[in-house]
Amino acid sequence: MRKTVAFIGAALLTATATACGGGASGGGDTTLTLAESVTATPWDLAKASLGPESQYYQPVFDTLVRLDRNGEPTPNLATSWSYDKPQTTLTLKLRTGVKFTDGTALDAEAVKRNLLHTRSGAASAAGEIRDISGVDVIDAHTVAIRLSHPSASLLPALGQVSGMIAGPKSLKDPKTPVGSGPYQLDTSATTAGQTYTYTRNPGYWNKKAYPYDKVVIKYLSDPTARTNALLSGQIDGGTVNLNRVKTVKARGLKVATYQPGDVEGLYIWDRAGKKVPALGKREVRQALNYAFDKKAMLKSAKTGLGTPTAQLFAPGEDGYDAGLEDTYSYDPAKARRLLAEAGYPKGFSVTLPDLSAAFPREQAALTQALKDIGIKVKLDNVPGDQIFSSMLSGKYAMSYFKLGAPTGWDKVQLQLTEKSTWNPFKYHDPKADDLITRIGKATGPRRDALFKQLNGYVVDQAWNAPWSVVANAYATAKDVTTTPQAGLQYPPLHAYAPTAK
C-alpha cells in the first residue's frame, strides 16, 4: 500500500520567472530557491489541500510524524505511538521542549486543537482525517486520537498537511503562519501570490535536517518559465515537462523521473447529467473511455513515460486490480456505436476549461479524441487562478485532470463519496456508497476484496476516463541534491541538501 501523497492537480496559470535564484546569498548564507506550480492558500490548515501547495507550509509547520522515503511513518513531533486492540484509538507521545515561534509550548492541548481545527474544514487536508471522532488529552505530552473505525490512512496523514501543527493562538486568525517548523516566514521579503521567503527558526529542535539558512519559493505555473528559470540559475529545483528532460540534462542539471501515483485523464464530474444530460448515461461515459489511444498519447505527450490505465488506483495502492486494465481498448468506432445506442448518434456539445497553457499536448489530445467520436468541444479560456474554483463550483461537466492521494482509501475520500472535495456535482450511487461504508469498517482480506469490488464497479460504470499513471520529472541545480519520495509529486523539504564536494 502506497502511503504518501501527491495531490492533485495542475499548474494552471501563466507566469514569468522573476528575481534571483538559488545557491549562496551575498552574505554567505546558503539559500534554496524552489519553483511551485500552484499558488499558496495560506495559512489556515482547515482550508489547506494536499500536494504541491504543501511546499509552502513545510518550512513553517512541523508534522506529528515524518514519512521516510518509502512512505513509512517515523518519529518527529510525536516520538512514539501505539494503537489499542480494536485499532480505533491511536495514542501519541509528544516531544518535549518544542516551542512555536511565538514562544508558546507545543503540548497535547495544542495538538488536540489543531487536529480538530483541520478536520473542521472542507478541503483535502480535512478529508484525510475525517475519520477522527475525537481527541483526548491524557497529559501534557500524551494525546489519544479516537477514530470512528479502523483506518490505515491515519498515520500517513499525520506525516503530511493533515498532521501539521500551528501555534494554537494563530488558529482563529492565521494572517501570518506561527509554527514550530525549521523556518519562519520573512514577511518583509514575501510578496503574496508570487514569492515566499523563509529564514531559520533559531529554536528548531532538528536543525541538522535542514541545511539551508534560507528557503525561497516562487510561484511559476508556466512550465516554460520554470524550465528557463532552472537553466538560467534563478531557481534550484522544479518540475519540468517530460519533453524537456533531455534539454535540461544536456545543460548539466540533475533530473529524476519517477511515478508518484497520480492518475491523469478525462475526469467526469457530472455523472448524473445535471449540466450535460448525455453524461448521465452509462453508455456515454463508457464511450468516452473507448475514445483515447492511451499508448499513442503517452508516446506523443509524455515521451513514452508513464503507464496506461483504466482505473483511478495506481499499482501498489489498495483497490488496484491489474485485471481491469484491459476493460477499455482504443476503439472510436465502438465509442460512436455506444453514443448512438444512448440516443446521441450525432454526439453532443460540451464546454471544457482550456488548460493549454500548462498542458498543451494533453489538452490537444483530449479535444481531438472527443471530436473524433462526434463530440463538439468548446474551450473556455478562464483565468488560470480561477480554474480550480470554477471546477469545484460545478462550472464544467468534465475536464482534463490528474489526481493522487496517500492511499486508495484517500482517493475514495477525495473523489468517490458524496462529500468528496473533487466531486463538485455531489454525485453518489447507492451500491458504491454501501461498498465504501463496508470498506471503512473492514480489515484484512475482507477489506481488500471489498476495495476491488468498488474499483470494478466504478470502472464498469465509467465514472471517469483515465489515461495513465503519470511520470514526473523533477530537476535540480548541479549544487543541489535531492531524491524523490514514494508517492510525492515534489521532494519534501527535508530531502534537499548541498551536493557533497
Side-chain angles (χ1 to χ4, degrees):
M1 175 176 62
R2 189 167 58 86
K3 294 183 182 285
T4 52
V5 67
F7 182 66
I8 288 176
L12 298 167
L13 293 178
T14 58
T16 57
T18 57
C20 58
S25 67
D29 291 340
T30 55
T31 300
L32 177 71
T33 304
L34 305 175
E36 248 304 348
S37 61
V38 299
T39 54
T41 54
W43 296 101
D44 188 348
L45 294 174
K47 299 177 181 178
S49 296
L50 309 179
E53 69 180 59
S54 69
Q55 277 202 325
Y56 295 105
Y57 307 136
Q58 289 178 26
V60 290
F61 300 127
D62 220 349
T63 51
L64 286 169
V65 302
R66 173 175 289 180
L67 302 176
D68 66 16
R69 284 180 56 186
N70 297 316
E72 297 295 333
T74 64
N76 201 45
L77 290 179
T79 57
S80 63
W81 50 84
S82 61
Y83 274 104
D84 64 352
K85 190 173 182 180
Q87 300 282 296
T88 55
T89 299
L90 176 67
T91 300
L92 304 174
K93 292 287 187 180
L94 303 177
R95 189 174 301 277
T96 60
V98 176
K99 290 187 176 181
F100 296 102
T101 52
D102 65 359
T104 305
L106 184 144
D107 58 14
E109 183 62 33
V111 170
K112 174 182 177 177
R113 289 183 59 185
N114 269 269
L115 291 175
L116 295 180
H117 175 75
T118 298
R119 189 198 60 173
S120 71
S124 55
E128 290 283 291
I129 55 174
R130 194 75 71 200
D131 296 332
I132 293 178
S133 59
V135 181
D136 299 321
V137 173
I138 306 304
D139 59 42
H141 293 97
T142 308
V143 64
I145 303 172
R146 290 181 278 112
L147 294 166
S148 56
H149 55 77
S151 173
S153 303
L154 179 60
L155 269 172
L158 298 183
Q160 298 170 81
V161 179
S162 307
M164 289 181 175
I165 305 300
K169 295 178 182 178
S170 70
L171 293 178
K172 290 184 179 180
D173 189 21
K175 294 180 180 178
T176 301
V178 176
S180 63
Y183 300 93
Q184 51 195 344
L185 185 70
D186 181 354
T187 56
S188 67
T190 293
T191 302
Q194 297 181 28
T195 302
Y196 295 80
T197 300
Y198 307 85
T199 56
R200 278 201 183 277
N201 172 6
Y204 187 61
W205 62 274
N206 193 16
K207 181 179 178 180
K208 290 183 179 179
Y210 299 88
Y212 292 95
D213 297 295
K214 183 186 295 184
V215 174
V216 178
I217 301 178
K218 298 176 181 295
Y219 170 50
L220 295 175
S221 70
D222 181 72
T224 300
R226 284 199 305 276
T227 301
N228 290 339
L230 280 161
L231 294 175
S232 64
Q234 296 181 70
I235 60 174
D236 299 312
T239 57
V240 295
N241 281 359
L242 295 173
N243 65 335
R244 300 300 303 276
V245 168
K246 288 184 179 179
T247 299
V248 172
K249 282 185 174 180
R251 294 283 292 273
L253 277 72
K254 304 172 184 176
V255 182
T257 55
Y258 53 99
Q259 288 190 355
D262 295 23
V263 173
E264 73 171 344
L266 176 65
Y267 279 71
I268 304 169
W269 312 119
D270 184 19
R271 303 180 198 118
K274 294 179 180 179
K275 192 176 188 71
V276 177
L279 295 176
K281 292 182 176 291
R282 171 175 170 249
E283 294 86 356
V284 170
R285 300 193 303 269
Q286 289 180 332
L288 296 175
N289 277 268
Y290 285 109
F292 301 107
D293 188 345
K294 301 170 187 177
K295 291 182 179 179
M297 291 168 73
L298 280 174
K299 185 177 181 180
S300 62
K302 309 289 185 178
T303 65
L305 297 173
T307 305
T309 191
Q311 56 194 298
L312 186 65
F313 305 113
E317 292 178 345
D318 292 335
Y320 176 78
D321 185 348
L324 294 173
E325 295 294 23
D326 296 326
T327 304
Y328 301 105
S329 59
Y330 173 53
D331 194 338
K334 186 170 184 177
R336 289 190 290 269
R337 287 198 302 272
L338 284 168
L339 288 174
E341 291 172 10
Y344 296 91
K346 296 182 179 180
F348 58 92
S349 299
V350 65
T351 298
L352 306 180
D354 187 357
L355 308 183
S356 300
F359 301 101
R361 290 174 175 79
E362 293 86 346
Q363 183 69 73
L366 168 59
T367 304
Q368 188 60 54
L370 294 179
K371 288 181 177 179
D372 287 346
I373 63 171
I375 296 175
K376 304 169 188 68
V377 176
K378 177 184 177 182
L379 294 179
D380 185 18
N381 188 20
V382 65
D385 60 352
Q386 298 176 24
I387 292 287
F388 280 163
S389 59
S390 296
M391 285 182 178
L392 291 171
S393 70
K395 182 175 182 179
Y396 304 107
M398 59 187 193
S399 69
Y400 169 79
F401 196 66
K402 58 181 177 179
L403 176 68
T407 66
W409 178 249
D410 295 310
K411 281 185 176 176
V412 170
Q413 296 300 305
L414 280 169
Q415 228 249 327
L416 302 185
T417 76
E418 186 175 7
K419 296 181 179 180
S420 293
T421 301
W422 288 103
N423 181 13
F425 287 84
K426 303 308 173 188
Y427 178 80
H428 67 105
D429 174 290
K431 182 172 180 178
D433 291 345
D434 177 63
L435 285 168
I436 291 169
T437 299
R438 291 160 65 193
I439 291 168
K441 297 178 180 178
T443 57
R446 178 60 178 162
R447 184 176 186 270
D448 296 339
L450 289 168
F451 233 127
K452 288 190 175 181
Q453 286 184 45
L454 173 66
N455 191 11
Y457 182 70
V458 167
V459 170
D460 176 69
Q461 293 294 308
W463 282 19
N464 297 303
W467 302 344
S468 65
V469 182
V470 302
N472 243 31
Y474 194 86
T476 54
K478 297 178 183 179
D479 58 353
V480 174
T481 297
T482 191
T483 303
Q485 182 169 302
L488 284 174
Q489 272 188 334
Y490 297 79
L493 186 58
H494 61 77
Y496 295 85
T499 300
K501 296 181 179 180

